Amino acid sequence: MKHICSLLALACLTVTTGCDRLICSSSARALQHLGDSYYFEIEGCKSPIIYDASDGNATVVHSHVVDLAYDSTFIIVCQHPYGDTTIVDRHEMSLTEWDEAFARSTYRQYWIINKSEQRNWIVDHSDVNRSHYSNVYGPYQRAEFLMRRKELGVPDGLKLRPAIPRDD
């Protein structure tokens, strides 16, 4: 069963990067519990996300989660955001062109979730897109992520690895 879930997750990842759209009718679901009320999920053709089940399944890190790691206190995430602003002329592209450009892009951003901290929703009235949970840090570029992970006490042994749901 573990291998079937991994294969389904890989198939969904392939679909989300623009390959073989015929599989998109799939209702396959891959889910991994990350501790406390946090989950990593890929469902059908939706891009992989991290969500908090204690808050009505609120998405904490949106698509496209690429790498992750977790322990009893922290979840660290590498994300290739679907709204990748580094893609030049993205607003003039067809969906197929966008999918191809997205698949080629190497842009990544990083997140740290401290599961031991209180979760409070912080609303940024100047920009609703900047509203966030108080225990979720990011998005960061790689250098800032490495610095913040030290400041927050994320163990050095917690290493990012490909985000494929697995039984740990």
Side-chain angles (χ1 to χ4, degrees), residues 5 38 41 43 56 58 63 68 78 89-90 103 112 133 148 157 166:
C5 286
Y38 293 94
E41 178 184 45
E43 186 171 0
S63 62
L68 67 87
C78 174
D89 297 327
R90 64 190 179 282
I112 301 168
Y133 284 100
R148 288 293 287 158
R166 57 178 68 76

Side-chain angles (χ1 to χ4, degrees), residues 30-62:
L31 186 66
Q32 180 177 5
H33 186 229
L34 304 176
D36 289 357
S37 58
Y38 293 94
Y39 290 86
F40 169 64
E41 178 184 45
I42 302 171
E43 186 171 0
C45 293
K46 294 179 185 174
S47 295
I49 63 169
I50 306 288
Y51 73 87
D52 180 357
S54 74
D55 192 17
N57 295 345
T59 301
V60 177
V61 178
H62 292 272

Side-chain angles (χ1 to χ4, degrees), residues 80 83-90 105-107:
H80 182 191
D84 184 344
T85 58
T86 65
I87 298 173
V88 179
D89 297 327
R90 64 190 179 282
S105 172
T106 59
Y107 177 73

Side-chain angles (χ1 to χ4, degrees), residues 101-113:
F102 182 77
R104 286 191 309 269
S105 172
T106 59
Y107 177 73
R108 301 292 185 266
Q109 56 189 28
Y110 300 84
W111 300 83
I112 301 168
I113 302 166

